[in-house]
Amino acid sequence: MPKPIFGGNWKMHKTMQQAVRTVGELKKEIQNLDEVEVVVFPPFTALSSVKAVIEGSSIALGAQNMHEKEEGAYTGEISSSMLLDVGCEYVILGHSERRQYFGETDNQINKKARAALSSGLIPILCVGERLKERKDGKAEEIVSVQLRGCLEGIDLQGGEKLVIAYEPVWAIGTGETATPEQAQEMHRFIRITLEELLGKEIAYSIRIQYGGSAKPDNIKGLMCQPDIDGALVGGASLEASSFARIIKYKE
Ligand code: 13P
């Protein structure tokens, strides 16, 4: 099994100075921890200064979004080569906030995922249902459509890496976490769908993160589940100490 992966998605938080301070503290807190992978996702404006702090450590850098085109007249956008240039290894794609507030569609996310993979970035592809969809018994159907749409034409036969983040929209920033059983059930469903789309070997090499009010006090229960391979953490990653407690959930 590949290493569990913990991501700290800082969303639209932190100036350069604040980001540097937080990642510096995190670096100290998780020294010599090599059984998990840790990635921080600062805002674009802090990528370069955070990179300078984590250089030589085991913390990796990621961006929260990118544009699918390599360059051109796309005011305000950032391409994969720009992210690689600043030292990113990962990029979050299709976060529910991008879908909800910026109208991103599965088709667009698919284009971004293809561009990321061919440039050598590792996409963290986010999927997840809204509360009403869960209440209507449609959670699996929604996640299946998202996975199929976002992964269309992608086979990972060249050994490219990909991570999936299951983030039920009703659990993001609400304090309401999916129970370990609810999360496991959907992670299992995602694994089976990946098996169908990409084959068994690749499906089991893909890490599936849980995201949505992951906290130091609920992480252990989630990580005990067989198909939960890490977490994508929002609020609780803003403080180095709470993010570190999540990362060191075994202690
Ligand atoms: P919270 O951990 O704040 O619920 O956010 C989850 C998330 O959206 C991570 O990408």
Side-chain angles (χ1 to χ4, degrees):
M1 275 303 288
K3 284 184 190 181
I5 178 167
F6 290 91
N9 175 10
W10 293 349
K11 307 189 180 182
M12 198 169 73
H13 294 285
K14 296 191 188 289
T15 60
M16 256 196 283
Q17 204 181 8
Q18 292 165 337
V20 162
R21 190 188 317 131
T22 306
V23 81
E25 289 167 5
L26 182 68
K27 197 167 102 169
K28 278 196 207 123
E29 298 247 14
I30 60 168
Q31 260 171 12
N32 306 323
L33 192 81
D34 64 357
E35 65 264 33
V36 300
E37 220 177 311
V38 178
V39 192
V40 289
F41 297 87
F44 290 126
T45 47
L47 285 171
S48 169
S49 34
V50 166
K51 178 67 188 171
V53 179
I54 61 179
E55 198 78 69
S57 81
S58 60
I59 303 174
L61 188 67
Q64 300 174 18
N65 180 33
M66 60 170 248
H67 192 269
E68 68 266 27
K69 294 271 171 50
E70 205 31 54
E71 59 177 10
Y74 301 100
T75 301
E77 294 293 326
I78 306 262
S79 75
S80 59
S81 53
M82 295 168 186
L83 296 181
L84 287 164
D85 185 44
V86 77
C88 287
E89 291 174 57
Y90 289 85
V91 61
I92 296 174
L93 296 178
H95 192 280
S96 65
E97 288 148 16
R98 300 287 325 162
R99 295 174 187 260
Q100 182 176 352
Y101 304 127
F102 304 97
E104 283 192 19
T105 61
D106 290 333
N107 182 261
Q108 212 174 346
I109 298 160
N110 175 248
K111 288 187 187 142
K112 293 184 181 204
R114 289 172 189 238
L117 287 166
S118 62
S119 75
L121 282 167
I122 304 175
I124 300 200
L125 184 63
C126 301
V127 295
E129 80 286 357
R130 292 157 184 266
L131 185 58
K132 181 164 187 325
E133 294 160 344
R134 175 158 284 262
K135 285 192 169 152
D136 290 347
K138 290 190 175 148
E140 289 190 349
E141 182 188 324
I142 295 294
V143 168
S144 169
V145 168
Q146 290 174 340
L147 282 173
R148 286 166 205 278
C150 295
L151 292 174
E152 206 184 309
I154 291 172
D155 61 20
L156 306 181
Q157 288 297 321
E160 305 95 322
K161 283 205 262 175
L162 172 88
V163 176
I164 304 283
Y166 168 57
E167 301 206 317
V169 180
W170 47 272
I172 297 178
T174 59
E176 188 175 344
T177 333
T179 64
E181 294 72 28
Q182 278 175 322
Q184 167 57 24
E185 201 181 352
M186 185 60 88
H187 280 231
R188 187 73 221 146
F189 174 76
I190 292 171
R191 186 87 65 199
I192 290 165
T193 308
L194 292 175
E195 233 183 286
E196 185 197 320
L197 296 173
L198 303 165
K200 191 162 186 163
E201 196 178 328
I202 291 174
Y204 279 85
S205 73
I206 292 177
R207 273 113 16 119
I208 309 175
Q209 296 178 302
Y210 169 79
S213 299
K215 302 269 183 293
D217 61 5
N218 59 28
I219 193 67
K220 218 170 185 163
L222 290 160
M223 290 303 293
C224 285
Q225 303 297 322
D227 289 288
I228 301 185
D229 310 313
L232 189 53
V233 185
S237 73
L238 293 172
E239 291 279 340
S241 58
S242 64
F243 191 33
R245 278 166 64 209
I246 292 177
I247 296 164
K248 298 192 282 189
Y249 68 98
K250 278 191 179 161
E251 288 179 8

